[in-house]
C-alpha cells in the first residue's frame, strides 16, 4: 500500500486525470497526506503552470484558496467561529483534518448493514461515483454494492446528456449505482451539468436518459 500511495502523491488522488495544484499549501486536498511542495519545485513548475490546460473551469487549487479564505479573521468573525483568540488565534481551519482522522473512533466496521436496513424499509437509494476518483474508486464501490447480494434489475448501460455518454448505470432491486464519466471525487465541481441532471432525475423519480437523442 505504501507503493500505491507513493504513486498517488504524484497526481491528484481526488481526480486522477486533472492537473495537480502546485501552489505551496498545507491543504490536505491539494497536498495529499500533508506533503508540501518546496519552493524550488514551485519555481521549476511556475512557467508550466501558466500554460497548463485546465478543463471546464476547474481549478486544481480550489481547496488552497478556500483554506486561505476561511482562515481570514474577518471571515471567521462573520461566522462566529474561532473568535476567542482574535487575530492571534493559533487554531487554523483545514479542508481536511488529519488529526481528526487519526483519532476518530470507528464504531461501525461497515455501513453495508445500514444500507440493507434502508432498502428493506423501502427507501429509494442511488449511489453515484466519478470514474476518475482515486480516493473512493468506482471499483471499490462496486465491490461493496455487490456484497449486498441484491437482485439485478437492469445490467450496466450508458446514460446520456447532450448526445454524449454521461456515465454508466446499473440497477438492483432497491438500489441504483451511477457513474459519471470524467468526474473525480467531487462530481458537482468537475461535472456540474451532469451532476444537476443526476440530482434532478433522482428527486423527480425518473431514470437517467438511456437514449442518445
Amino acid at each position: 500500500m505504501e507503493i500505491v500511495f507513493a504513486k498517488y502523491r504524484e497526481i491528484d488522488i481526488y481526480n486522477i486525470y486533472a492537473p495537480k495544484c502546485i501552489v505551496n499549501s498545507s491543504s490536505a486536498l491539494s497536498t495529499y497526506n500533508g506533503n508540501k511542495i518546496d519552493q524550488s519545485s514551485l519555481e521549476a513548475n511556475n512557467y508550466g503552470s501558466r500554460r497548463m490546460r485546465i478543463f471546464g473551469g476547474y481549478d486544481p487549487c480550489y481547496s488552497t484558496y478556500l483554506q486561505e479564505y476561511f482562515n481570514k479573521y474577518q471571515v471567521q468573525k462573520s461566522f462566529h467561529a474561532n473568535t476567542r483568540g482574535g487575530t492571534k488565534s493559533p487554531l487554523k481551519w483545514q479542508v481536511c483534518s488529519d488529526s481528526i482522522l487519526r483519532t476518530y473512533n470507528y464504531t461501525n466496521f461497515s455501513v453495508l448493514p445500514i444500507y440493507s436496513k434502508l432498502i428493506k424499509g423501502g427507501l429509494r437509494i442511488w449511489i453515484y461515483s466519478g470514474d476518475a476518483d482515486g480516493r473512493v474508486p468506482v471499483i471499490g464501490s462496486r465491490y461493496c454494492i455487490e456484497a449486498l447480494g441484491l437482485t439485478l434489475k437492469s445490467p450496466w448501460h450508458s446514460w446520456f446528456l447532450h448526445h454524449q455518454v454521461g456515465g454508466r448505470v446499473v440497477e438492483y432491486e432497491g438500489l441504483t449505482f451511477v457513474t459519471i464519466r470524467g468526474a473525480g471525487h467531487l462530481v458537482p465541481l468537475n461535472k456540474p451539468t451532469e451532476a444537476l441532471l443526476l440530482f434532478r432525475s433522482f428527486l423527480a423519480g425518473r431514470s437517467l436518459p438511456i437514449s442518445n437523442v
Side-chain angles (χ1 to χ4, degrees):
M1 289 305 296
E2 290 182 2
I3 297 176
V4 172
F5 283 119
K7 293 302 178 182
Y8 262 131
R9 294 187 192 105
E10 299 175 357
I11 58 177
D12 183 351
I13 192 173
Y14 293 92
N15 191 324
I16 62 175
Y17 296 125
K20 185 177 180 180
C21 178
I22 60 172
V23 174
N24 192 12
S25 168
S26 60
S27 169
L29 285 180
S30 62
T31 57
Y32 176 64
N33 276 356
N35 293 311
K36 297 182 179 180
I37 303 171
D38 59 32
Q39 189 62 28
S40 61
S41 161
L42 182 61
E43 292 172 354
N45 287 286
N46 188 45
Y47 174 71
S49 68
R50 292 199 299 269
R51 302 184 62 190
M52 183 185 298
R53 183 176 180 271
I54 299 176
F55 61 88
Y58 173 76
D59 190 329
C61 298
Y62 71 93
S63 62
T64 300
Y65 307 144
L66 280 175
Q67 190 158 296
E68 291 178 356
Y69 177 75
F70 284 118
N71 276 309
K72 293 180 180 293
Y73 172 70
Q74 291 300 329
V75 173
Q76 293 185 347
K77 183 179 179 181
S78 68
F79 283 126
H80 306 285
N82 193 24
T83 57
R84 292 183 180 180
T87 57
K88 303 296 183 180
S89 174
L91 300 177
K92 297 297 182 181
W93 181 85
Q94 289 182 301
V95 174
C96 290
S97 175
D98 289 335
S99 61
I100 293 177
L101 181 62
R102 286 191 294 265
T103 58
Y104 184 78
N105 181 26
Y106 289 90
T107 56
N108 292 311
F109 176 74
S110 172
V111 297
L112 293 184
I114 298 176
Y115 276 105
S116 297
K117 184 176 181 180
L118 294 176
I119 292 170
K120 290 179 180 179
L123 270 70
R124 185 166 53 92
I125 298 173
W126 283 21
I127 296 176
Y128 69 89
S129 181
D131 62 11
D133 182 8
R135 170 55 80 187
V136 185
V138 168
I139 189 67
S141 298
R142 286 186 60 181
Y143 285 148
C144 289
I145 292 170
E146 290 170 2
L148 290 170
L150 302 172
T151 301
L152 182 65
K153 183 178 179 181
S154 176
W156 284 98
H157 56 274
S158 300
W159 62 274
F160 293 86
L161 176 65
H162 299 156
H163 306 285
Q164 299 289 340
V165 173
R168 312 283 189 238
V169 58
V170 59
E171 296 178 273
Y172 298 92
E173 292 293 343
L175 186 147
T176 298
F177 181 41
V178 182
T179 71
I180 296 83
R181 186 165 70 104
H185 192 66
L186 305 176
V187 173
L189 178 66
N190 300 143
K191 293 287 183 176
T193 307
E194 288 83 349
L196 181 60
L197 176 61
L198 173 71
F199 298 146
R200 280 181 170 174
S201 298
F202 175 76
L203 293 174
R206 297 193 302 261
S207 298
L208 288 162
I210 59 173
S211 178
N212 186 14
V213 294

